[in-house]
Structures are given as structure tokens and as C-alpha cells.
Amino acid sequence: QRVFINENHYVPGGPVYLFNSGETPASPSYLSAGEPYTLAKATNGMLIIMEHRYYGSSYPVSDMSGPNMKYLTVNNSLEDISYFIRSARAFVKDAIGVDITPNSKWIATGGSYSATLAVWARQKYPELIHAAYASSAPVLVEPEFYQYDQVVGRALPCAQSIADAITVLDAILDSQNRPLIDRWKRAFGLQDLKDDADFAGALTDHLSSTVQYYMPSAKGSDSPDAIAQLCSWFDNTRNIPLQNMADMTAAYIRDNRINPVAAYSSNAGATNHALHQDGRAWFYQTCTEFGFWQSAPPPPLRRLRSKYVTSEWQSRPCQAFFGSEITGKPNSQSINEQFGGLSPNVSRVVFVNGLHDPWSELSVAVDANISKKMSEAGKNVVITMPQASHVVDFYFANSRTDFGVDIARKNILAAVELFLSQD
């Protein structure tokens, strides 16, 4: 496994921040930017970034065929963290010649899935990990994640127009009128998608990414607001909402040079077993343990994605990718039973969530009573940012100080300093 270390601010006895990079390759850029770096600098700490097995360049196997994926599990990944901490003093001494003193306290940290790992590592190995900082951690594993779109809908002023468009689209797909369906596929720029469910599923990409990674335009900036820009497509009252959505999607695909078959076809890449496919590794984890299928909600909830976008459709390619290694539905119930779902049995964790983030529906911030229970008697600290979205406190800590991020950063540091003062 690849490891990157910044020891520049470390003082003997200072904390060690361990960032497992989760479903993305480990990047040395986080050694000098982002909230973990800020915390290490402020508390005389060392920052270590370790790469998650099966991501980036960290592989225990020669290819990503189905049988070789069996070692990619949550508990194996947590054991990697445990093993690294137990051997870190010798490893760091050998690698950079710096002694980690025995009284240095370890803080696990991460954003998104890697934040969940930080929480679970703190829970599973409390004797090794003193505290954790978890940004946008989805601690509840939910195979039928229809709640995702409920947050997207609250964030988009044009949500009803999108829902109206989807209702008409589903009626067209129900009709099985092939010339009519193909005409609309061409209008969306998705004529190369043969499977109608793949076509329906592709329409959510723009909406999801806009809300999940939303940041308000910086003060004084000429950059357009991403949500306002998306919704402006529906200002054209001469068209029906479905036509406006088609125009928007076609422009999105064209402007971003997206290959629809490679990006949206369910079985694209199924037989490619080469290493260095982070998307394939994450798909395996969703097939076997997580699900997280962003599906259409049950009625009467408003739908921003087609009723053809079901968890069954999204999980259908699992066997095409991994063969007999996939024997059923994701083992999400077992994961929730092991770690407690929305009520993990942890202390000294800083939970941070942006309420514009669709993944906050699976976090301790989803309900005020849950947040209150998790933070009783200072056991943990729960911080929310009403205008922020996914992991903005973690990745953008050094570049933006507005829309509540600056306040969150101060509270994160205060919580970490409090936890470090505790034995």
C-alpha cells in the first residue's frame, strides 16, 4: 500500500493524523492542503496518507477478475489501518528517520467513504485510535438509497419541472413505442444507449453531481451559480419540461465530452480485469457490502429519476463484472449490525456534514435526535453546515472561508483540541 507522510510540523508527543484515502487514489497533494493538513499544522502533528487496498496503486492481486476481488472487504480495510498503526513507529523511522513517540495519539480522518472508515476504525480499535474526524460520513449502509434524490429535490428550485419531465419520460418508455423512444434518446444525445433503463439512468448524472458537489459562487466572483445555471434550462416556457431536460442533458454530454456508452452502459468494462480501475473496485464494494443504489423513491414521493432506475437494475451487472463471486444482495444488514448504523458506539468523533449533501441522509446529521444522542455529555461533536454539500470542509478548507466553512473549521479544531486533552 502506498503511504505519504508530512512530518514537517510534528513535535514529539504530538498527534498523528491518519487519512485512509478510501475509494480514490492517495494523493500527496493533501500533505499540504485540506483540513487534515490544517489540523496537523495547528496541533504539532504528523499527517500520514495511506491508500486503500484495490485503489490507486495498492493491490494484493495481479488483476481485478472476480475471484481476485474477494479480499476487498470493509473489515480487511479496517485491519489494514490497524496493522499500519501497530507497525508505524518502525515504518516511519525507516522511511524518513523520524521517531513517533509512544505518547502520540492517533486520529483517524477521512471524507465520504473514508470518513466512514475513520468512524468504524475508531469503534473497532479504540485502543489504537484516540479520536476521529469524519467529514460527510454515510454511517448507515442503505441498499435502497432513494433518499438521495429527496435532498437533490430540496436543493433545486426547478425540481418540480424535472419531476414533470420524468413523468412524461416514463409514459413514453411504458408505451414501448420504439420510434418515439429512439427520437427522445437522440434529443438527449443518448442514442447509442440500447438499453432503455441505461438511458433513463443517465439522466440523473448532471443533477446529482451539481448538488453533491455544489458550492455557492465566491463573493465577488463572476462564476455563475451552478444550481441557478442548471435550473435556467427550465426557464424556456415554449418547450415542455422534457424538451428542456433533453436540451440540458445533450449540452452537458457535449460540453464535458462524455462517451455515453462508456459512462452509462451498465455492462461497459465488465470483462476488463486490468488493475488501476477505481470505479470497478467501488462497484465491487457496492455489489457485495454497501448497495447505496440511488433508486427512484416509492410513491407518493416526488421522483427526479425514472421508475426504471431501480436497485435491481443497478445491481444486475454485478455478476457480469464479477461472476460467481456475487451470490446475492449486498451484505448491508451485517455491516449495520456490526457498526450500529446511525448510532455507532463511538466517542471522541467529530462528525461534519453539509445539509445540501445528499449523503447526509445516511449520516448522524439526518435527525436532530440522533445528533443530540451522539453528542450527549460531549461524547462526540456533530457539526452541520446548512449551505454546504459533500466534504467541503475536508477538501476545500484552505481555499474557501465562506458559506459556513470558516465557522466549521474553527469548531473542528476546537473539538480535536478537546479530544487531545483527554486521556
Side-chain angles (χ1 to χ4, degrees), residues 216-236:
S217 296
K219 293 179 180 178
S221 169
D222 294 331
S223 300
D225 182 88
I227 286 178
Q229 190 172 38
L230 183 153
C231 283
S232 68
W233 286 95
F234 295 90
D235 292 341
N236 186 351

Side-chain angles (χ1 to χ4, degrees), residues 149-161:
D149 280 358
Q150 304 309 297
V151 180
V152 173
R154 292 195 294 269
L156 295 176
C158 56
Q160 189 56 52
S161 294

Side-chain angles (χ1 to χ4, degrees), residues 10-167:
Y10 179 69
V11 172
V16 181
Y17 296 85
L18 181 61
F19 169 29
N20 181 300
S21 60
E23 75 276 32
T24 59
S27 171
S29 64
Y30 293 115
L31 293 177
S32 57
E35 188 63 8
Y37 165 76
T38 302
L39 291 172
K41 184 178 179 180
T43 58
N44 298 320
M46 180 182 298
L47 174 59
I48 300 177
I49 303 171
M50 65 176 293
E51 196 161 62
H52 193 294
R53 58 170 59 204
Y54 285 83
Y55 291 92
S57 299
S58 298
Y59 294 94
V61 293
S62 58
D63 64 50
M64 301 181 78
S65 57
N68 278 349
M69 300 300 292
K70 63 185 177 183
Y71 306 109
L72 178 53
T73 67
V74 163
N75 279 294
N76 279 349
S77 303
L78 292 170
E79 183 59 32
D80 289 341
I81 294 173
S82 166
Y83 178 83
F84 180 82
I85 293 175
R86 294 178 196 276
S87 58
R89 291 187 66 198
F91 175 83
V92 171
K93 176 68 172 178
D94 183 62
I96 60 173
V98 173
D99 288 306
I100 297 177
T101 54
N103 61 333
S104 286
K105 296 172 179 177
W106 287 77
I107 299 179
T109 185
S112 196
Y113 164 55
S114 67
T116 303
L117 283 179
V119 175
W120 291 345
R122 163 67 182 145
Q123 180 174 348
K124 191 172 183 180
Y125 307 110
E127 75 283 6
L128 297 177
I129 299 171
H130 181 76
Y133 156 47
S135 174
S136 301
V139 291
L140 176 67
V141 178
E142 178 56 76
E144 290 275 358
F145 188 20
Y146 67 83
Q147 300 95 328
Y148 185 99
D149 280 358
Q150 304 309 297
V151 180
V152 173
R154 292 195 294 269
L156 295 176
C158 56
Q160 189 56 52
S161 294
I162 295 169
D164 293 342
I166 292 299
T167 298

Side-chain angles (χ1 to χ4, degrees), residues 396-413:
F396 298 100
N398 296 328
S399 59
R400 292 289 294 270
T401 58
D402 53 347
F403 66 94
V405 175
D406 53 340
I407 298 173
R409 288 171 62 195
K410 292 176 182 176
N411 291 335
I412 293 166
L413 176 58

Side-chain angles (χ1 to χ4, degrees), residues 318-332:
C318 290
Q319 286 199 339
F321 273 74
F322 307 112
S324 60
E325 295 300 308
I326 307 300
T327 57
K329 293 183 178 180
N331 193 24
S332 54

Side-chain angles (χ1 to χ4, degrees), residues 90-418:
F91 175 83
V92 171
K93 176 68 172 178
D94 183 62
I96 60 173
V98 173
D99 288 306
I100 297 177
T101 54
N103 61 333
S104 286
K105 296 172 179 177
W106 287 77
I107 299 179
T109 185
S112 196
Y113 164 55
S114 67
T116 303
L117 283 179
V119 175
W120 291 345
R122 163 67 182 145
Q123 180 174 348
K124 191 172 183 180
Y125 307 110
E127 75 283 6
L128 297 177
I129 299 171
H130 181 76
Y133 156 47
S135 174
S136 301
V139 291
L140 176 67
V141 178
E142 178 56 76
E144 290 275 358
F145 188 20
Y146 67 83
Q147 300 95 328
Y148 185 99
D149 280 358
Q150 304 309 297
V151 180
V152 173
R154 292 195 294 269
L156 295 176
C158 56
Q160 189 56 52
S161 294
I162 295 169
D164 293 342
I166 292 299
T167 298
V168 174
L169 176 69
D170 278 352
I172 292 170
L173 294 176
D174 287 345
S175 75
Q176 298 185 4
N177 182 330
R178 183 48 50 192
L180 181 61
I181 294 171
D182 289 346
R183 185 190 120 198
W184 278 104
K185 283 186 179 181
R186 288 192 296 273
F188 278 87
L190 297 168
Q191 62 272 13
D192 293 334
L193 295 178
K194 304 307 178 187
D195 187 290
D196 290 344
D198 287 350
F199 163 56
L203 308 188
T204 64
D205 184 26
H206 189 191
L207 310 179
S208 300
S209 60
T210 297
V211 174
Q212 180 167 319
Y213 300 108
Y214 174 73
M215 286 198 299
S217 296
K219 293 179 180 178
S221 169
D222 294 331
S223 300
D225 182 88
I227 286 178
Q229 190 172 38
L230 183 153
C231 283
S232 68
W233 286 95
F234 295 90
D235 292 341
N236 186 351
T237 56
R238 295 190 302 270
N239 290 337
I240 62 172
L242 184 61
Q243 183 62 58
N244 288 331
M245 192 170 187
D247 294 343
M248 176 189 74
T249 304
Y252 173 73
I253 290 169
R254 182 179 62 251
D255 294 346
N256 291 279
R257 299 181 179 180
I258 295 172
N259 179 331
V261 173
Y264 305 126
S265 180
S266 296
N267 291 327
T271 59
N272 180 1
H273 300 158
L275 299 178
H276 308 294
Q277 296 184 79
D278 301 321
R280 186 181 183 90
W282 180 246
F283 188 49
Y284 180 80
Q285 292 192 267
T286 60
C287 288
T288 55
E289 295 187 305
F290 299 148
F292 290 145
W293 310 123
Q294 295 162 27
S295 52
L301 294 175
R302 183 168 62 182
R303 287 190 294 109
L304 300 188
R305 67 182 71 208
S306 167
K307 66 182 181 181
Y308 289 87
V309 182
T310 63
S311 59
E312 290 77 16
W313 164 71
Q314 292 177 81
S315 62
R316 188 177 64 196
C318 290
Q319 286 199 339
F321 273 74
F322 307 112
S324 60
E325 295 300 308
I326 307 300
T327 57
K329 293 183 178 180
N331 193 24
S332 54
Q333 182 176 348
S334 176
I335 298 293
N336 286 328
E337 288 174 353
Q338 180 180 359
F339 296 108
L342 290 174
S343 299
N345 184 21
V346 291
S347 61
R348 291 201 291 263
V349 177
V350 189
F351 294 94
V352 186
N353 288 93
L355 299 186
H356 263 303
D357 179 14
W359 291 94
S360 67
E361 289 290 300
L362 304 182
S363 77
V364 299
V366 68
D367 182 270
N369 289 328
I370 294 173
S371 296
K372 182 179 179 181
K373 179 182 176 182
M374 291 302 299
S375 55
E376 282 179 346
K379 182 180 177 182
N380 301 287
V381 173
V382 179
I383 299 170
T384 58
M385 298 175 290
Q387 291 183 286
S389 193
H390 201 54
V391 297
V392 294
D393 54 293
F394 192 88
Y395 294 123
F396 298 100
N398 296 328
S399 59
R400 292 289 294 270
T401 58
D402 53 347
F403 66 94
V405 175
D406 53 340
I407 298 173
R409 288 171 62 195
K410 292 176 182 176
N411 291 335
I412 293 166
L413 176 58
V416 168
E417 289 178 331
L418 173 64

